[in-house]
Structures are given as C-alpha cells and as structure tokens.
Amino acid sequence: MKIGILSSGGDCPGINAAIRGIGKVAIAHYGIDVIGIRSGFLGLINKDFIPLNESSLSGILNLGGTILGTSREKPFRKLIFSSAEEDKPHIIKDNYHQLGLDCLVCIGGNGTQKTAHKLSESGLNIIGVPKTIDNDVWGTDLSFGFDTAVNIATDAIDRLHSTANSHNRVMVIELMGHHAGWIALHAGMAGGADVILLPELGFDIDIVKKAIMKRTNSGKLYSIVAVAEGIEIKGKKNKKYKHPATYIAETIEESTGIEARETVLGYIQRGGSPSPFDRNLATRFGGHAAQLISEENFGRMVCLKDGKISSVELSKVSGKIKSVPSQNDLILQGERMGISFGI
C-alpha cells in the first residue's frame, strides 16, 4: 500500500508527532509506503510532495509546527468570480490516483475534517486525525494541541497574578478558541482566574463589574479575568473592538475606577514544542490511523473516547463543533467556589 499524509489549517503543537506516529507505524509495522503532501490540500492540488521514511521521520517528535507545512486551502469552497475553484476537487482526485495512493490521511481541525468527509464521499479512501488547540472537534474527548495551549495560557495567567497584585489592577487576558471556550475555561480555572467568560454561556457586563467590586470591597484589591476570544460583545456606540478583552478592560476601568489592563495572548498559545501529553496523544492517534489503513477501514477519524483510542465516522464529525456544555464540571465547581462566569 501507499499513503499520503497532509496537515491542513492552523499550525498546532503535536502535528509532527502525529506525522511521525502515522509514518513510523505504517512503514515499520505494516510495510506501507508513505509520502508527505506539502501545504495541506494545496499541495495535493499542485502535486507537491516528498517521500517519507524512518530516517526523515526521526527527530521531529518534539518539534512545533509541521514539517509538511500547512495552508487554509478549502478545495470545495465555491468562489463566484473563479470557475477554476470548481475544478479543485477533481484535480485532487486525479492527483490522488496519479500518485498511486491507497489512502490520504488528513490531519486538521473542523474545516479539515469537513473537507476530508467530502473527499471520502467522492470515492477516495480517507482517514482523519483531529488536531486543534481549541479542542472543538466533535467526536473526540480531546484533540492534541489543547494540553499544550492550556499549559501556556495557564503560565501566562500565573505571571499576571504578580503584576496585578503589585499594582492593584484588574488584568484581563484573552485566550484563543474561536467560538469554543475550552482553553479559557481550563486555563482560567487552573490559573485561578476570578472571572471566566465563555462564548457558550454569554455574559452580562454588569454582573462582571459587580463581581470585581465585590472582591474589592472585601479587601481583594486585584482580579484576573479570563476571556475567550469568541465571546459576543456589543461594545459602545460607534466604536468597534477587535479584541473583546479591550472592551472588558475599558468598561471595568470606566465603571469602577479600578485600573484595568488587557493582554491578548494570541499565537503564542499554539507555538513551540508540544507537551508530553500531546506528544503521546498524537503518537497514539497516528498509530491507530495506520492500523485503520491496514484494515482498509476508511472514511473515519481517529478519536479519544473515555481514555481509549478509537474512531468515528467522518460523516458524524463533519460540520459539527464541540462546545463547552453549561453543566461542565469545572463550571459547576467554579461557581461553587465563587468564581464569576458573568451570568
């Protein structure tokens, strides 16, 4: 057999560990030939690939980013002004066969798994591997990259405590996650944030201000507010906010008189070396992907369910997002501890 591996969408700690896991198990255990597709689906369109062997897969376990590169190419996206866009799925299918592939492994988040499902529907043999720091891929309890991002975000919150305490300030930190609040919830709780705002719950800015004032009046002269980037803000008239943390900090300072500063952590959360947990999770995902290929069990995405590696049909994953449930245990325990979720 011969397979291709690509990584698509945003970069994420652990992609190289997954590439290594897929490739080494495929080659050493199943005797499968492996090639790497550069720049995601764009590389498959341009037939841009490199052969992968055990030597080229060595020494990449701890590397951040992806040795194959990535892109946000969406081959099924239709652009009115470009009829050529409609040919991309056909080009991918033709190149898949010209390269002699028996399967294509797609490492990526929600958008990648949606494209993977469409390619599977078109007749190609596809295996999906979920990666995202956002942890919002449906069908898996965890995606690799999430643990690393939470570690980085928690460390940032830990560091904000000292400056907030020194200046008696409110420090508002904005964390990634798109429309899911997993990073903000886990890092906020682990970092001892006093207010945590999640897209899934919504928030009332007046409740946030009351929570800050309650702490101040009780002698707690500084506060930490963890904000998920996807929270919906209405802002002030005639003023747009690129970052919700800016709106939260400005509003708190103007309404309470307490000095407030925002920190937007940004891409730092998905850079650098993956955590040991993510290295191992990506390795487990990769090895199971190779196993599914050897069994010719295609059209599936590997996943983690109740601590065990398994797989789920791509048709069940495509187009869905895993959001934080309102009854999540961290939320329940946080509320009991007096942490405000702005509701």
Side-chain angles (χ1 to χ4, degrees), residues 50 55 140 146 164 166 196 202 209 218 227 229 282 308 319 321-322:
I50 55 172
S55 177
T140 183
F146 174 64
S166 298
I196 302 173
K209 290 185 289 187
S218 65
V227 177
E229 67 178 355
K308 297 180 179 179
I321 293 177
K322 184 183 70 178

Side-chain angles (χ1 to χ4, degrees), residues 121-271:
E121 283 188 317
S122 74
L124 301 186
N125 295 332
I126 305 291
I127 293 293
V129 177
K131 68 92 189 141
T132 174
I133 68 167
D134 303 332
N135 198 40
D136 62 348
V137 175
W138 194 93
T140 183
D141 291 344
L142 288 172
S143 303
F144 68 79
F146 174 64
D147 182 73
T148 305
V150 169
N151 286 342
I152 294 168
T154 301
D155 181 67
I157 295 173
D158 288 346
R159 293 171 186 274
L160 286 177
H161 275 276
S162 60
T163 189
N165 186 26
S166 298
H167 294 274
N168 294 337
R169 285 174 176 166
V170 175
M171 301 300 291
V172 182
I173 183 168
E174 181 176 316
L175 304 169
M176 287 179 128
H178 289 293
H179 297 292
W182 292 104
I183 296 176
L185 174 61
H186 280 253
M189 289 296 294
D194 306 297
V195 178
I196 302 173
L197 304 181
L198 309 176
E200 293 88 346
L201 300 180
F203 74 99
D204 184 332
I205 191 61
D206 290 329
I207 291 177
V208 173
K209 290 185 289 187
K210 287 178 182 178
I212 299 297
M213 289 305 303
K214 181 179 179 181
R215 285 179 52 79
T216 302
N217 293 334
S218 65
K220 299 173 182 177
L221 302 181
Y222 81 91
S223 298
I224 303 291
V225 181
V227 177
E229 67 178 355
I231 63 170
E232 183 179 353
I233 60 170
K234 298 178 182 179
K236 303 169 186 177
K237 291 182 179 179
N238 304 318
K239 188 169 184 179
K240 295 181 179 179
Y241 291 89
K242 182 178 181 180
H243 296 288
T246 305
Y247 166 69
I248 299 296
E250 283 188 8
T251 304
I252 288 174
E253 182 166 324
E254 290 176 5
S255 301
T256 67
I258 303 171
E259 192 174 26
R261 295 287 185 273
E262 76 269 18
T263 297
V264 179
L265 198 55
Y267 292 103
I268 290 173
Q269 292 162 91
R270 70 185 204 199

Side-chain angles (χ1 to χ4, degrees), residues 4 6-9 40-41 44 73-77 89 92 96 103-130 137 298-302 312-319:
L6 63 78
S7 53
S8 180
F41 295 108
L44 200 52
E73 172 64 45
K74 298 179 180 179
F76 288 91
R77 180 177 55 186
I92 287 176
Y96 172 98
C103 180
L104 177 67
V105 183
C106 302
I107 304 172
N110 290 305
T112 299
Q113 302 311 321
K114 186 175 182 179
T115 298
H117 171 56
K118 289 183 177 180
L119 290 174
S120 179
E121 283 188 317
S122 74
L124 301 186
N125 295 332
I126 305 291
I127 293 293
V129 177
V137 175
F298 304 119
R300 304 186 71 82
M301 183 191 78
V302 297
V312 61
E313 292 130 348
L314 280 169
S315 60
K316 292 184 177 180
V317 175
S318 178

